[in-house]
Amino acid sequence: MGPDVSPQVMRMTLSTLNWRRREMVRWLVTCATEVGLRALVSILQGWYTLFTPTEATSIVAATVMSHNTILRLSLDYPQREELASCARTLALQCAMKDPQNCALSALTLCEKDHIAFETAYQIVIDAASTGMTYSQLFTIARYMEHRGYPLRAFKLASLAMTHLNLAYNQDTHPAINDVLWACALSHSLGKNELAAIIPLVVKSVHCATVLSDILRRCTMTAPGLAGIPGRRNSGKLMSTDKAPLRQLLDATISAYINTTHSRLTHISPRHYGEFIEFLSKARETFLLAQDGHIQFAQFIDNLKQIYKGKKKLMMLVRERFG
């Protein structure tokens, strides 16, 4: 199959995407590289007739922009710039067409050009409310932090949180690490960012153990340790009696209460020990509130009243908590 036949086959199989296409895409880029700069520019500019957006960004543009390709073609600076400009244009077009699969590749391809990078970032922001999942947004948010843009990472993490719903019993959910990272990022940026993300966390996360983990981390160190230029950091630890941590504390206590009742609906004796440990963790959170010991005592009294039929379990509750 010669180079002149190859584009025709690419067009014919564009809608079928059979398993050999990936090989064919790579082969076509290799052929174009052999022919030279003009052939590469041609496939970059006419990518939409030959490739899917994902193929165009992750294989075609990435290969064309690789160090090996530049060396192989012995390009001078203006030629390298022409090729890079075509690759960035392709990347932005693909990100517009398929932000879910191409946004991160587009950002990576546009890193060295400020305007193109800004455009790619704006495409992500515009697509965040409709066309992106929380997982994709968290991935791009982490990339932004890695690139040295913590405030943009925070914005994307906040958008990701609005897509997330973590139920009371999802304490092994794959997004938990992302939620903890987003809260740590917000805390490191300062009180304002933490105050902005906590209502999103409270709305999206209903799992008591995750909420208590976030709360514990937020009370261990003072906010604002990222040292954003132009910002002053008081260096003070935050109180759980005041905003924004008060809202998080209240939500965590509510989550423990709701989860306790949910667990007690269908509990078997082999889970009694685990349940008592769960109540011990709940007590740690209750005690962060000013009247926490009173609230917890009332909570235990309520349990003993409502579930008095579960004699063995309530005996264990009395032994541990009085």
Side-chain angles (χ1 to χ4, degrees):
M1 182 162 58
D4 52 335
V5 181
S6 176
Q8 194 179 337
V9 176
M10 297 304 296
R11 289 188 197 102
M12 285 164 63
T13 60
L14 186 56
S15 58
T16 54
L17 298 182
N18 72 29
W19 65 274
R20 298 210 56 184
R21 262 193 69 88
R22 214 172 163 77
E23 280 176 47
M24 291 164 63
V25 172
R26 291 185 194 286
W27 186 78
L28 181 58
V29 177
T30 305
C31 288
T33 308
E34 294 294 332
V35 174
L37 176 65
R38 301 274 45 99
L40 284 175
V41 168
S42 174
I43 64 168
L44 289 174
Q45 288 178 339
W47 70 267
Y48 46 86
T49 63
L50 300 167
F51 315 110
T52 66
T54 310
E55 289 168 348
T57 50
S58 65
I59 304 175
V60 181
T63 308
V64 168
M65 291 307 295
S66 72
H67 190 57
N68 285 349
T69 306
I70 306 296
L71 283 179
R72 193 166 179 180
L73 290 170
S74 306
L75 302 178
D76 59 23
Y77 181 75
Q79 289 173 323
R80 286 203 301 272
E81 279 305 293
E82 182 187 3
L83 204 55
S85 175
C86 288
R88 288 193 293 267
T89 302
L90 171 151
L92 294 174
Q93 289 169 348
C94 293
M96 287 285 285
K97 203 169 174 68
D98 185 2
Q100 281 201 341
N101 296 308
C102 299
L104 186 55
S105 296
L107 284 163
T108 308
L109 286 161
C110 294
E111 276 175 2
K112 291 180 180 164
D113 184 281
H114 178 70
I115 293 169
F117 189 79
E118 291 298 312
T119 308
Y121 172 68
Q122 198 52 53
I123 290 168
V124 176
I125 296 295
D126 294 344
S129 56
T130 51
M132 309 279 280
T133 67
Y134 65 79
S135 178
Q136 289 160 338
L137 288 167
F138 275 132
T139 301
I140 297 171
R142 284 178 182 263
Y143 159 83
M144 280 291 177
E145 189 200 30
H146 181 68
R147 294 293 306 156
Y149 298 108
L151 291 168
R152 292 182 176 197
F154 165 75
K155 180 164 178 131
L156 288 163
S158 301
L159 289 167
M161 289 297 300
T162 63
H163 293 266
L164 181 65
N165 186 23
L166 240 166
Y168 78 92
N169 58 351
Q170 290 185 295
D171 52 1
T172 56
H173 194 284
I176 290 171
N177 280 338
D178 286 324
V179 172
L180 294 174
W181 167 79
C183 292
L185 172 69
S186 309
H187 186 262
S188 74
L189 289 172
K191 195 173 173 181
N192 291 343
E193 284 76 15
L194 192 61
I197 209 158
I198 280 175
L200 302 178
V201 170
V202 166
K203 195 172 177 186
S204 303
V205 179
H206 310 286
C207 181
T209 51
V210 177
L211 289 170
S212 63
D213 197 1
I214 295 167
L215 185 61
R216 183 181 57 78
R217 290 166 188 234
C218 288
T219 53
M220 281 166 65
T221 54
L225 297 178
I228 298 292
R231 290 200 187 181
R232 292 178 64 190
N233 170 27
S234 69
K236 278 190 196 166
L237 290 176
M238 294 174 77
S239 165
T240 52
D241 290 327
K242 295 179 189 160
L245 292 190
R246 182 60 202 250
Q247 187 186 358
L248 181 57
L249 175 61
D250 290 344
T252 310
I253 289 172
S254 294
Y256 269 117
I257 292 168
N258 294 336
T259 307
T260 299
H261 289 300
S262 298
R263 283 189 171 198
L264 285 171
T265 314
H266 308 288
I267 194 164
S268 67
R270 66 198 170 92
H271 291 128
Y272 284 179
E274 188 190 315
F275 177 74
I276 296 296
E277 290 313 310
F278 177 78
L279 283 183
S280 293
K281 281 190 178 167
R283 180 169 60 180
E284 286 172 21
T285 299
F286 272 83
L287 293 179
L288 291 172
Q290 257 188 337
D291 58 346
H293 60 292
I294 299 167
Q295 278 191 61
F296 187 73
Q298 287 172 343
F299 172 52
I300 293 296
D301 284 343
N302 285 344
L303 292 185
K304 288 189 284 201
Q305 282 299 313
I306 298 167
Y307 302 101
K308 57 188 172 195
K310 298 182 189 292
K311 290 190 172 65
K312 172 105 189 289
L313 179 57
M314 290 307 120
M315 187 185 78
L316 293 172
V317 169
R318 261 187 219 94
E319 277 176 14
R320 179 71 73 94
F321 307 107

